[in-house]
Amino acid sequence: MSHDHHHHTEACGHCHEEEHGHHHHHEDEEGHGHHHHHEHEEEGARGRILKIAAAALLLAGAVIIEKKTDWATWQYLLLYLVPYLLVGWDTLKEAAEALCHGEALDENFLMGIATLGALAIGFLPGAQTQFPEAVFVMLFFQVGELFEGIAEGRSRRSIAHLMDIRPDVAHLERDGAVVDVAPEEVRPGETVLIRPGDKIPVDGIVLEGNSSLDTVALTGESVPRSVAPDDEILSGCVNLSGVLRVRTTKAAGESTAARILELVEHAADNKSRSEHFITRFARIYTPVVVALALALALIPPLLTGEWATWIYRALMFLVVSCPCALVISIPLTFFGGIGGASRKGILVKGAAFMDTLARVGTVVFDKTGTLTEGVFSVTAVHPEKLNEERLLHLAAHVERHSTHPIAAALRQAWPAEQDGCDVRDFQEIAGKGLVASVNGQAVAVGNGKLMEEVGAAWRPCTHVGTIIHVAVDGEYAGHIVISDRIKEDAAAAIEALHEEGVRKTVMLTGDQEEIAASVAAQLHLDGFHAGLLPEEKVRRVEELLGETPVAFVGDGINDAPVLARADLGIAMGGLGSDAAIEAADVVIMDDKPSKTALAIRIARRTLRIARENMWLAIGIKLAVLVLAAFGAATLWMAVFADVGVTVLAVFNAMRALR
């Protein structure tokens, strides 16, 4: 998750054989680095809490001693420096380092100046000492940082649950024996054995074995998926029940799990508009604040001579104006939103895309495989002479050896291969269909032209789809309608998008007009364009680009150019196509179109939380700044305005995870 990981993903982009040695070594460091990272995070929090507690006790002790004794000012200073340095050392060190690098004026710097100033103020003639407040400011600042650390840790972990998909070991079959190797050592085309309970190490095709897979880490879906020989399986799933032998199709670095981890690791690199705004804001804001504070400290006392009062107010001004709540909570909110989405099987490649996602006004869908299943199946049977079963039965027999998707649909509807029928004399009539003899009867299965050829009086059908006519001995027996099924949640998805305030939903397809029209009507889409070639799809999307961002949702086999062209590309069932994962900005792991609406909802919520944090922080700061300038506020209030707001903002940002 942190940046120390990404060198490894680059290393495994293209794994050549001679690189295997060093590549594996990387992975090793990487694996360990990962665990250290978490321990380090936990220890960091624990150490910080201890430090804060110790300093608080020392501070209380110092206050009591000051009440009971009568020492010189410098002796009290030494007394308070103990707890001050205990909690403040890191902050001062970081502020000094930043100054040396010429990146002055971050929150550490502001806090450092304010507290050191408060310690120094007691030495001015006629001033009261502010030692306890100086220590308290630093203490409270550390409490804020602690909360930030914990919150960040939580959202990192929520993204790290994706890390559960990283496979640990592969059981490779070599020379008749099974050896355990790191997944990186498996080359495409080798055979691995996957036992129940194992994570699938690399993508591949099942050779033998039946099992079910837990895909929850990839898709967020808890229903197991069953697999059989010839099915494709993806790394990162967990094998639940049976032993599988799998022929690998990709190297570990190219596999699904590795690709997803890489996406997530780089998600933080794409900053959102709000984050850019804050960076710019801090660049102008901090110098202005420091200049104002200096003016406050110098100008009024030159007129009135009350140095102590005005320096105190200037210091307060500095503490309040520290922008940590903004600087911390906004990126954290986006981080949380990305984490929350990934739990639902939605990968957002960066905070910038969260912004776009929240503002989407038009959603364009590809039809096949996105709104529909992309598989043909028999949707209606209209017999004339025979009953339905008999009609299907004959058609399936005749199409038995054809490789056409339509033949596959027929065979699926009537799987009985061996029911004692005698089928012979197969004959394919190009562009028209098939003829064969079934139990001595001449059966013709095909389109209208074929019916005319065998002299059967066929009639057109009102159903939308591909119509397969059947004739027996030249007499019309009926027809079968085959079409692409609409996905179960497609209608709900469109409705949910409209509810989210998406103004336009449009479908693009290469399919014929009437099929497209029927799907569009069933789903209540706002518009559709049919009969498009891939490059025409790009043109249609360009026409729609306008004031609100356009999202394109596709399953990506040929959609990569369109995904790249739209303001926001959403690849669906994105595990399907590599090109789509590359081109898309958001990858939805399973095949549910309704996840699009969910993604928009999550993004809107994330942005709303970010906005709340911005106003909360700026509003409270301004109020205390005004009070401070008129001398109606104390350093304690100033600290609350800063750290209290930060803690509130951090807690608010945590809501983005849900």
Side-chain angles (χ1 to χ4, degrees):
M1 298 319 331
S2 60
H3 296 298
D4 50 23
H5 289 354
H6 63 228
H7 64 90
H8 126 89
T9 32
E10 281 149 30
C12 50
H14 305 283
C15 210
H16 303 303
E17 286 163 30
E18 65 274 9
E19 274 182 6
H20 275 299
H22 105 144
H23 180 70
H24 175 52
H25 161 71
H26 257 317
E27 184 61 28
D28 233 36
E29 277 171 22
E30 152 88 1
H32 295 315
H34 195 68
H35 298 301
H36 284 324
H37 184 65
H38 283 297
E39 283 157 28
H40 164 75
E41 210 170 77
E42 299 293 320
E43 271 166 31
R46 223 174 289 133
R48 261 184 179 163
I49 293 171
L50 285 174
K51 235 190 236 173
I52 290 170
L57 286 172
L58 287 168
L59 174 62
V63 172
I64 293 165
I65 294 174
E66 191 180 10
K67 286 260 189 306
K68 301 267 191 255
T69 57
D70 188 19
W71 298 351
T73 312
W74 65 269
Q75 289 169 305
Y76 287 127
L77 174 65
L78 291 177
L79 185 65
Y80 281 106
L81 272 177
V82 179
Y84 175 76
L85 290 173
L86 179 65
V87 280
W89 182 248
D90 292 343
T91 304
L92 293 173
K93 201 172 79 194
E94 281 177 33
E97 278 171 12
L99 266 179
C100 299
H101 289 263
E103 307 164 359
L105 312 185
D106 60 356
E107 60 255 51
N108 292 318
F109 178 76
L110 287 177
M111 278 298 171
I113 285 197
T115 51
L116 289 171
L119 288 174
I121 222 172
F123 292 98
L124 286 173
Q128 276 152 339
T129 57
Q130 305 287 349
F131 300 149
E133 299 192 75
V135 179
F136 183 75
V137 169
M138 202 42 112
L139 193 65
F140 218 56
F141 179 61
Q142 289 300 328
V143 172
E145 297 269 286
L146 173 75
F147 274 113
E148 180 210 344
I150 291 172
E152 174 123 354
R154 274 187 57 184
S155 40
R156 272 194 193 291
R157 265 196 294 286
S158 121
I159 288 187
H161 86 278
L162 274 177
M163 289 308 170
D164 294 347
I165 69 182
R166 178 172 281 148
D168 323 301
V169 63
H171 311 301
L172 186 59
E173 291 188 8
R174 270 212 187 123
D175 314 323
V178 175
V179 286
D180 287 0
V181 298
E184 290 65 42
E185 291 187 22
V186 180
R187 307 207 185 110
E190 295 191 303
T191 304
V192 290
L193 200 63
I194 302 173
R195 306 189 176 107
D198 285 356
K199 271 187 212 132
I200 291 164
V202 288
D203 298 3
I205 307 268
V206 179
L207 292 174
E208 55 182 84
N210 288 54
S211 181
S212 52
L213 304 183
D214 171 3
T215 61
V216 72
L218 293 185
T219 61
E221 284 300 307
S222 49
V223 184
R225 221 185 81 207
S226 54
V227 291
D230 292 340
D231 286 347
E232 191 182 354
I233 62 173
L234 301 169
S235 56
C237 301
V238 178
N239 183 17
L240 297 175
S241 44
V243 177
L244 298 174
R245 280 183 70 226
V246 174
R247 188 181 76 245
T248 60
T249 51
K250 290 183 187 160
E254 295 287 313
S255 284
T256 306
R259 299 275 296 286
I260 288 169
L261 297 180
E262 188 176 351
L263 287 184
V264 176
E265 282 171 5
H266 293 303
D269 305 349
N270 292 309
K271 286 208 176 3
S272 67
R273 294 202 315 193
S274 326
E275 287 177 85
H276 280 309
F277 160 73
I278 284 165
T279 323
R280 286 203 306 275
F281 174 81
R283 245 186 243 132
I284 303 160
Y285 174 85
T286 321
V288 169
V289 165
V290 173
L292 281 175
L294 277 172
L296 255 186
L298 301 174
I299 297 164
L302 288 174
L303 306 175
T304 62
E306 296 178 352
W307 287 96
T309 315
W310 286 102
I311 289 180
Y312 180 63
R313 286 183 189 177
L315 291 174
M316 213 155 35
F317 186 85
L318 275 181
V319 173
V320 179
S321 61
C322 165
C324 8
L326 280 180
V327 172
I328 289 167
S329 66
I330 307 281
L332 196 62
T333 307
F334 280 100
F335 204 65
I338 291 173
S342 75
R343 288 205 155 141
K344 296 269 185 257
I346 300 166
L347 277 188
V348 181
K349 286 196 192 173
F353 304 121
M354 271 286 189
D355 259 356
T356 319
L357 198 51
R359 301 194 326 274
V360 163
T362 307
V363 179
V364 183
F365 288 94
D366 179 50
K367 179 178 85 75
T368 310
T370 304
L371 292 172
T372 64
E373 300 279 0
V375 245
F376 286 105
S377 55
V378 171
T379 46
V381 182
H382 297 162
E384 293 267 315
K385 286 277 192 309
L386 319 160
N387 62 10
E388 289 190 14
E389 285 181 9
R390 183 94 189 117
L391 190 65
L392 267 178
H393 167 138
L394 287 173
H397 272 318
V398 174
E399 296 272 357
R400 184 149 77 187
H401 298 299
S402 167
T403 53
H404 197 279
I406 286 174
L410 285 170
R411 284 200 298 272
Q412 205 182 349
W414 188 270
E417 283 286 302
Q418 302 300 322
D419 51 8
C421 290
D422 172 31
V423 190
R424 53 180 75 185
D425 308 332
F426 288 101
Q427 195 185 347
E428 188 157 349
I429 298 161
K432 297 178 187 171
L434 290 163
V435 183
S437 133
V438 181
N439 294 343
Q441 288 179 303
V443 181
V445 179
N447 56 18
K449 291 189 186 134
L450 181 68
M451 293 300 106
E452 281 157 20
E453 196 163 304
V454 298
W458 64 284
R459 57 193 182 83
C461 175
T462 52
H463 276 218
V464 175
T466 309
I467 314 284
I468 310 291
H469 298 282
V470 181
V472 179
D473 286 335
E475 219 177 318
Y476 190 54
H479 53 252
I480 297 165
V481 184
I482 288 182
S483 61
D484 188 358
R485 266 202 310 264
I486 293 178
K487 284 189 186 169
E488 283 164 24
D489 69 334
I494 304 297
E495 198 178 319
L497 283 172
H498 285 156
E499 274 168 27
E500 279 306 320
V502 169
R503 285 207 292 281
K504 247 179 122 178
T505 50
V506 181
M507 177 179 76
L508 306 180
T509 177
D511 221 332
Q512 1 170 352
E513 188 81 24
E514 60 263 32
I515 294 183
S518 133
V519 171
Q522 276 173 284
L523 297 180
H524 306 297
L525 290 162
D526 300 325
F528 71 93
H529 299 286
L532 303 174
L533 298 167
E535 52 272 25
E536 293 175 317
K537 287 186 185 175
V538 176
R539 264 217 309 287
R540 291 288 180 188
V541 167
E542 280 173 349
E543 284 165 21
L544 291 165
L545 294 177
E547 60 282 7
T548 56
V550 174
F552 176 79
V553 188
D555 64 337
I557 310 303
N558 49 12
D559 296 333
V562 208
L563 285 169
R565 186 66 194 90
D567 295 309
L568 189 78
I570 303 180
M572 192 132 132
L575 302 180
S577 143
D578 292 356
I581 291 194
E582 295 301 319
D585 309 312
V586 176
V587 180
I588 293 180
M589 301 293 220
D590 53 19
D591 281 324
K592 299 205 163 151
S594 55
K595 287 272 176 88
T596 320
L598 180 64
I600 292 178
R601 189 153 63 240
I602 292 176
R604 292 209 166 147
R605 190 152 170 264
T606 304
L607 248 79
R608 197 168 60 240
I609 293 175
R611 252 184 241 119
E612 286 165 4
N613 280 346
M614 242 145 112
W615 291 120
L616 176 84
I618 294 170
I620 293 185
K621 300 249 172 226
L622 285 175
V624 180
L625 279 179
V626 172
L627 290 175
F630 293 116
T634 62
L635 253 188
W636 306 80
M637 272 173 78
V639 177
F640 175 75
D642 179 59
V643 179
V645 172
T646 304
V647 172
L648 283 175
V650 164
F651 277 127
N652 196 20
M654 294 306 292
R655 286 176 34 222
L657 269 175
R658 302 239 152 61

